[in-house]
Amino acid sequence: MNPEDAKIITLARSARARAGAAEGAAVRDETGRTYAATTVDLPSLKLTALQVAVAMAVSSGAEDLEAAALVTTADTALPSDIAAVRDLGPKAPVLVAATDGTLRATLD
């Protein structure tokens, strides 16, 4: 794994730990800016961590994603997570990592 991908996994892990959330995610845009997020689980709003990270990138003016990372206890990302990443970064790999940061899968 390259250092930039390791960085977004670390950011996703940190966001998850800081918020005590079920999942953490981070994305890197075409300029190298990163956006870290966690799951939002409110009575009126439910978003996955990757959906929030992608939304943060879009709202900050990102036009493409280089990579995305998801830290989760699940085996893989949800189809809706992958779709959100693909909407902004059609070629961005989605790195799925365990809560200890171990890379489980890279979804191309």
Side-chain angles (χ1 to χ4, degrees), residues 6-51:
K7 176 183 172 183
I8 62 172
I9 289 175
T10 299
L11 289 170
R13 287 184 68 215
S14 296
R16 179 182 176 274
R18 183 174 50 256
E23 294 183 334
V27 298
R28 184 176 61 250
D29 73 11
E30 76 281 4
T31 66
R33 292 179 297 184
T34 56
Y35 309 88
T38 63
T39 307
V40 173
D41 190 6
L42 300 171
S44 63
L45 180 63
K46 297 189 184 309
L47 296 169
T48 68
L50 262 177
Q51 290 170 337

